[in-house]
Every structure is written in structure tokens, then in C-alpha cells.
Amino acid sequence: MPAVPNPLLQQYMKLTEFLGLALGPDYEVALHDLTNKDRSIIAIANNHISGREIGAPLTNMALGILRDRSYETNDYCLQYHGISVNGKDLRSNTFFIKQDGRLIGMLCINFDDSRYRDVCDRILELCHPDSFVTNVLMQPSMSRPPEDRPAPEKFRNSADAVAVDAINRELDRMGVVPERLTSEERLKVITALEASGTFLLKGAVKSAAASLHCSQASIYRYLAQVKNPDHGQT
């Protein structure tokens, strides 16, 4: 069990339980305490949707919010794309919990509409010929976000998995493999990871070093160069 959180967050722990019961099994409700980003979840309802447990870390989306500080001018973030533990699309929303103007937590609701989509598909199949179902309805949706949009929120049970996800996505985006990275390519990866907030996680430097086939000291040198472009080349 997590340590006793901020008294304000204790009230949200009961709210998390209530919302999970009131909204039903298609809605996951997760409460994050930002005191420990690597083990931020202190309450979660209907966790079968993401597969996470209490003690799971912040997601890539939450880390990005901390890095871009959008919570300073917004009270919530609505209707963004998440992916469930079994690969289903989710409609996600996050409420920023603030105390004296300081962000202390996040209350997140992730809706899995797959059961409703299944019903809709069955109804459509009743009124369409088999060839239309095969050639049109079963094809990938054209409305899915393109590659150049922000990465969907992914839910993981460890900080290392969050970091590795971010690293692999950037490698895939660049079309490179870690075994053949040049110094310039490695710097681009580190720059993207820093911008996304990945290095807010305590173990991210170690994960990056292992994934990018270099030492932790090298990662710190790259980070210094990112933060100070005049810093010497690594």
C-alpha cells in the first residue's frame, strides 16, 4: 500500500472508488499522487482496462503534461487518445488536482467503448452485404490519428516500461536501430525524451543507457548538451 497521501488526495481516493462503481466497468478511474512519479497511482477502479495496479508510474501523457506545464493554464485535459492493455482505443480525460496553485495529483478517467462498437458492428452487418462488411467495415479506420500526432497514452506498471516505450517510439519514428546510432542520432533521441518528460522518472537514465547502447555517463552528457547547446559535443 502507498504511504498516506496528502489529506486532499485522501478525499479523491474515495471519489475514485465511487466513480468506478457509478460509471461502470467500461470506465477506469485512476488517481495519481505526484509525490512519487515512479509509483504515482494510489487508487484505481476497474483496472482491468489498463492492467495497472496501485504503485504503477505516471504515463507518457502525464509526464508530457508535467514537462509542458499545461496544467498551469488549464484545470483539465479532455478527450485524448489512450490505448488499453489489450490494444483497444480509449477516450481519456484528466483532471488536475491543485493545492494553493501547486499541482499535487491527477484524476484520470479512461473509457473503453469496445463493447458498444461490437454491438454497432453487428447491427451494421445485418443491413450490409458480406462483401461490404469485408471490404469496408473490416478495414482499418481512416479516423485513427496519423503518425505525426502526439503519441497515444500508454499504461504501464513500471517506470522502466514507460521509459522504454518512449525510447522505442522515437527510434521507430527516426527509422534507426540502437546498435548503429551515430552520436547525432543519439542526441536527437535524448532531445525528444527530455522534451517528452521521460527523464522525470528516476530510472529513465539507466533505461536509456541500456536501450541506446551507451553508458549512463554518456546520457548525462547528452542531457547537459540538450539543456545547454553550447556544451561540448559528446
Side-chain angles (χ1 to χ4, degrees):
M1 292 294 293
V4 177
N6 180 297
L8 176 58
L9 292 181
Q10 292 184 31
Q11 300 301 315
Y12 280 91
M13 292 177 76
K14 275 297 179 184
L15 180 61
T16 299
E17 179 184 355
F18 167 74
L19 289 174
L21 293 170
L23 295 174
D26 298 311
Y27 290 83
E28 178 188 73
V29 186
L31 176 63
H32 294 270
D33 179 355
L34 299 184
T35 302
N36 186 345
K37 301 173 184 64
D38 297 74
R39 297 181 55 83
S40 62
I41 289 186
I42 57 173
I44 188 167
N46 300 324
N47 67 326
H48 57 273
I49 290 177
S50 72
R52 293 175 297 173
E53 305 286 348
I54 288 177
L58 287 176
T59 64
N60 58 312
M61 181 67 70
L63 290 168
I65 288 170
L66 291 181
R67 178 55 73 201
D68 66 26
R69 307 181 76 86
S70 55
Y71 60 84
E72 292 182 347
T73 53
N74 297 281
D75 292 323
Y76 42 75
C77 181
L78 298 176
Q79 320 297 1
Y80 58 87
H81 182 207
I83 297 180
S84 73
V85 66
N86 52 9
K88 295 179 180 178
D89 292 325
L90 303 177
R91 176 161 53 87
S92 299
N93 303 271
T94 293
F95 178 78
F96 304 138
I97 304 172
K98 303 175 187 179
Q99 188 172 55
D100 299 324
R102 181 173 61 91
L103 185 67
I104 63 170
M106 296 181 183
L107 182 66
C108 306
I109 300 178
N110 305 301
F111 174 51
D112 177 6
D113 68 356
S114 58
R115 290 200 302 167
Y116 305 91
R117 288 175 180 265
D118 289 343
V119 171
C120 290
D121 289 345
R122 290 185 189 129
I123 293 173
L124 289 173
E125 287 172 6
L126 292 175
C127 64
H128 290 304
D130 292 343
S131 59
F132 185 83
V133 172
T134 301
N135 297 329
V136 179
L137 298 186
M138 296 182 66
Q139 297 303 311
S141 171
M142 295 299 292
S143 63
R144 293 179 65 90
E147 287 299 319
D148 58 350
R149 291 187 183 178
E153 184 170 33
K154 291 191 175 181
F155 307 98
R156 296 291 183 256
N157 266 315
S158 72
D160 178 67
V162 173
V164 170
D165 270 347
I167 294 164
N168 288 339
R169 180 177 184 275
E170 191 58 27
L171 291 173
D172 289 343
R173 189 190 68 78
M174 293 173 58
V176 295
V177 292
E179 295 84 357
R180 298 181 180 179
L181 284 175
T182 64
S183 295
E184 291 76 12
E185 290 170 337
R186 195 173 282 115
L187 178 61
K188 288 181 179 179
V189 174
I190 299 300
T191 300
L193 295 177
E194 170 63 13
S196 71
T198 300
F199 289 110
L200 294 173
L201 299 172
K202 292 179 181 177
V205 168
K206 181 178 179 181
S207 299
S211 296
L212 301 180
H213 294 210
C214 63
S215 67
Q216 293 184 47
S218 293
I219 299 297
Y220 283 115
R221 286 195 294 270
Y222 283 116
L223 281 171
Q225 189 172 341
V226 169
K227 295 173 183 178
N228 179 10
D230 295 329
H231 191 82
Q233 296 290 325
T234 302

